[in-house]
Amino acid sequence: MRRHLILLCAGALIAATPALAQAPASPPPATDAPWPEATFEIYKLAPGKQEAFLRRVARDDDVTKAGGLPPNQVYVHQDGADWDVLILKPHRTTPLTPAQEAAMAAKRKALGVESGPAFFVAIRELIASHTDTKTYGPITAVQWLAKLDAWRAEHPAPPKP
């Protein structure tokens, strides 16, 4: 069920993202180039905690903004499957600088945002269940197949007896 939900959500996000839907097809990257990665986090929230959760996400966005990072990509459930909020987090390809870390720590302190174990205790008060999954993408089917074909060319199957 969760796998089906994740695939459905991923497809819906891609279809709903105009930049991706209208982007011209790009040539596949070199097969040894790293693929972009992202994490999808799917939340079913505790009853009556939707607003508090989204305010928490907005507060966390203030912290990342202080470090020069973009806000979370949040999708709020409207109809259908059994989830409340989906967050898409593209993975950074470069580590945070000491200046970014310091700016975010200062903002976190100014806003009273918990970190470490206190973060997990606080956030769990808002969540009934949560799942996440690491993905490759956004990529095209052509890009994925090119990488598969290159791998197969380098690793031919042994002859069948």
Side-chain angles (χ1 to χ4, degrees):
M1 173 68 177
R2 292 235 185 237
R3 182 174 180 227
H4 177 70
L5 174 62
I6 291 167
L7 293 174
L8 217 90
C9 291
L13 290 174
I14 291 169
T17 305
L20 291 176
Q22 296 173 4
S26 59
T31 55
D32 59 346
W35 283 352
E37 296 178 4
T39 296
F40 285 91
E41 296 179 351
I42 303 169
Y43 294 93
K44 183 171 183 176
L45 302 175
K49 298 296 183 176
Q50 287 78 1
E51 181 181 353
F53 180 83
L54 288 168
R55 289 191 185 281
R56 171 71 193 229
V57 172
R59 191 174 67 170
D60 292 343
D61 284 346
D62 284 344
V63 172
T64 58
K65 183 180 176 183
L69 302 174
N72 287 300
Q73 296 178 32
V74 177
Y75 298 83
V76 180
H77 177 262
Q78 295 300 307
D79 188 22
D82 189 24
W83 57 273
D84 294 305
V85 174
L86 184 141
I87 300 177
L88 170 60
K89 294 182 175 180
H91 291 195
R92 289 187 304 274
T93 55
T94 57
L96 294 174
T97 66
Q100 286 175 303
E101 288 179 2
M104 291 168 63
K107 188 66 166 184
R108 192 176 292 112
K109 185 175 181 178
L111 295 174
V113 176
E114 307 88 348
S115 61
F119 165 83
F120 290 102
V121 170
I123 198 79
R124 297 259 183 308
E125 293 176 358
L126 306 174
I127 299 169
S129 66
H130 163 254
T131 187
D132 56 60
T133 187
K134 180 181 170 185
T135 65
Y136 290 117
I139 59 171
T140 66
V142 169
Q143 291 168 324
W144 190 89
L145 290 169
K147 195 159 213 167
L148 174 64
D149 291 342
W151 184 89
R152 285 187 172 153
E154 294 172 11
H155 302 87
K160 294 184 180 186

